[in-house]
């Protein structure tokens, strides 16, 4: 954690977890250009969203903010669909996650904890989970069964 860049900007403190943003680069290896930032903002703080990527999102962990005049509260994810200028305006002390990256091509299929560009691979993952062929998660002892549709 101490190797991750800290960025301070007008009432906000950000920790760059992965990628490149605000002229800083995290030491975490990524497979494509992206950024993933933890942001803690004081009330009435405005922070620009890095525009380098076509797909960007903001997750509100705690607090509330507005983006382009839209009010957003805790537990919500806002997806910014283009790389135009955008700014987060915290309406109270807030904890946020900012992320952005290259747009993925092709369709994505999502079911429970599985995401794939192939429906066949998704079905294969379901069978593997149900039959216990996934590696155990270190430190976890509970097995969560596959949900039934």
């Amino acid at each position: 954690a101490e190797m991750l860049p800290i960025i301070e900007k007008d009432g906000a403190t950000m920790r760059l977890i992965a990628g490149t943003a605000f002229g800083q680069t995290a030491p975490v290896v990524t497979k494509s250009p992206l950024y993933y930032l933890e942001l803690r903002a004081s009330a009435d703080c405005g922070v620009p969203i890095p525009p380098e990527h076509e797909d960007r999102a903001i997750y509100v962990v705690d607090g509330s903010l507005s983006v382009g005049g839209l009010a957003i509260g805790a537990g919500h994810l806002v997806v910014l669909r283009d790389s135009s200028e955008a700014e987060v305006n915290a309406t109270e002390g807030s904890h946020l996650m900012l992320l952005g990256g290259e747009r993925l091509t092709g369709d994505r299929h999502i079911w429970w904890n599985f995401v794939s560009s192939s429906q066949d691979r998704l079905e294969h993952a379901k069978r593997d989970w149900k039959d216990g062929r996934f590696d155990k998660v270190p430190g976890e002892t509970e097995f969560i069964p596959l949900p039934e549709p």
Side-chain angles (χ1 to χ4, degrees):
E2 59 274 355
M3 294 175 62
L4 298 176
I6 301 294
I7 303 158
E8 297 195 2
K9 202 170 193 49
D10 302 324
T13 301
M14 295 174 269
R15 180 182 312 269
L16 182 59
I17 297 168
T20 300
F22 298 106
Q24 300 284 326
T25 300
V28 175
V29 176
T30 62
K31 301 292 184 184
S32 65
L34 59 84
Y35 64 82
Y36 185 45
L37 287 154
E38 175 190 37
L39 186 152
R40 293 187 184 268
S42 59
D44 300 321
C45 170
V47 176
I49 305 299
E52 295 92 26
H53 300 293
E54 196 172 15
D55 281 347
R56 299 167 298 158
I58 305 157
Y59 178 72
V60 183
V61 177
D62 192 35
S64 61
L65 57 100
S66 69
V67 176
L70 178 66
I72 296 121
H76 288 88
L77 176 76
V78 177
V79 176
L80 305 171
R81 289 287 181 194
D82 62 34
S83 57
S84 63
E85 296 287 322
E87 182 174 281
V88 166
N89 294 293
T91 53
E92 63 181 296
S94 298
H95 183 196
L96 318 170
M97 301 305 292
L98 307 179
L99 53 144
E102 289 183 18
R103 179 162 288 166
L104 299 173
T105 58
D107 293 333
R108 295 294 171 271
H109 306 279
I110 301 172
W111 190 85
W112 191 47
N113 291 332
F114 304 122
V115 180
S116 179
S117 55
S118 160
Q119 187 65 42
D120 289 340
R121 286 185 68 198
L122 196 89
E123 294 303 320
H124 187 73
K126 287 180 187 180
R127 287 190 304 274
D128 284 350
W129 183 267
K130 191 172 186 175
D131 295 340
R133 289 190 291 266
F134 274 80
D135 290 341
K136 302 287 184 224
V137 176
E140 291 291 324
T141 57
E142 178 185 12
F143 175 77
I144 299 172
L146 189 72
E148 293 300 324

